[in-house]
Structure formats: structure tokens, C-alpha cells
Amino acid sequence: MSDVWDPHGSLQRALWIGGAQWSGKTTVAELIAGKYGLTVYHYDYHDARGHQDRRIARRVALGEPVEDPTPDHVWLDQDPEEMAAETLAGFPVRFEWALDDLRALFTGRPAIAEGWGLRPELVAPLLDSLRRMVVLVPTEDFRSVPTSDSPARGNSQRPCH
């Protein structure tokens, strides 16, 4: 494991699930956590809601407008390449915020951190074994099944590959 500050050993014991959107990360994490009594850290939830104060503070420090970009700016004023570049550039900063959240978890058992922002290139330096992370990539068949049929909601209709 790298020399990352980890006062309670939460990062060292963490299990990681990353991967594409709609690949089943949350479902798999919740199934494993339920079976083994583990704690789940939902990156997407914290990134979308809990980190807003950090996002604003960063904008202020960089001299940027405090307000979120308008939907027109996000979806109309940028081409797909610019949108992708902006998204990828934001992952390392947002990952540090997730690490802060995980450091604050004090649990005797491993936590499962799941989310699309948990990129392999960011997580790998933290791992003592690559077996602590899985990256899910959905097949087209998997994506075609409605999310209401998710195993986390009690119905295991999705094809497994």
C-alpha cells in the first residue's frame, strides 16, 4: 500500500468496486455487505450531494464562479470531447474527497466503496493486493434489463456473464 494517510486503517481494509455506469456496482456492493455485515460507501451519493461544500470551496480558491454551471453550459456549450476531458480531469480531485470520507469511517470490518468515480488508476496505488478491487463492465444484455429487476430490489432477472 502507498504512503497515504490512513489513521484508522479504513483505506487499507477497504474493498473497491469500480466500473461503468449501470454495471451493477451498487447492487453487488449491497448484496455482499448484506451477506457479510459490511459497510457500503456509495461514492455516487457522496459525490453528487455530500461534496457540494468542497466543490464550492475549490471554486472559490481557484477564483471560479461559486454557482454550478448552467445546464446549457454543461450540455450545449461543450462538445463531447470537452465534456469527457472535463469529467476525467475532475476524478482525481473528487477521489481525494472520497478518501477523506473513507478515512473517517471507523469500522472493524472492511468497507466496500463503490462508484463510477473509483477509477482503477486512482485506487490501484492504495492496494496491497489487486484482489481488493473489481471493475464491472456491463454487457449489452445486462444493460437491456430494467433496473427495477435488480437483485438489490429482490428480483434477480439480470443475465450474468
Side-chain angles (χ1 to χ4, degrees):
M1 185 159 160
S2 70
D3 293 328
V4 173
W5 182 63
D6 187 16
H8 302 296
S10 301
L11 300 177
Q12 185 177 10
R13 287 189 309 274
L15 304 171
W16 304 83
I17 302 175
Q21 293 173 315
W22 299 102
S23 63
K25 298 176 298 297
T26 300
T27 300
V28 169
E30 290 177 358
L31 289 170
I32 292 170
K35 182 170 182 167
Y36 296 102
L38 307 179
T39 300
V40 179
Y41 173 81
H42 297 288
Y43 170 92
D44 297 343
Y45 177 85
H46 290 279
D47 188 53
R49 293 164 188 83
H51 295 160
Q52 186 64 8
D53 58 338
R54 296 176 187 184
R55 206 172 275 111
I56 291 169
R58 184 168 191 273
R59 288 179 189 147
V60 169
L62 295 173
E64 298 174 354
V66 174
E67 301 82 25
D68 286 337
T70 66
D72 281 355
H73 172 73
V74 173
W75 298 106
L76 301 176
D77 297 344
Q78 302 181 91
D79 62 37
E81 291 79 18
E82 291 171 315
M83 291 173 70
E86 185 176 307
T87 299
L88 291 173
F91 279 126
V93 170
R94 292 165 32 213
F95 182 68
E96 288 300 322
W97 299 338
L99 292 182
D100 283 345
D101 294 343
L102 288 164
R103 283 183 193 101
L105 283 179
F106 186 76
T107 175
R109 295 183 153 216
I112 300 175
E114 65 83 20
W116 84 297
L118 304 177
R119 316 265 310 156
E121 67 273 15
L122 299 172
V123 174
L126 302 174
L127 302 176
D128 59 354
S129 167
L130 293 179
R131 296 181 67 159
R132 290 193 162 282
M133 182 176 197
V134 296
V135 179
L136 302 179
V137 180
T139 64
E140 285 304 314
D141 287 345
F142 183 90
R143 285 187 182 207
S144 69
V145 177
T147 57
S148 62
D149 290 338
S150 154
R153 293 177 180 88
N155 187 349
S156 180
Q157 299 289 321
R158 289 187 181 266
C160 296
H161 298 281

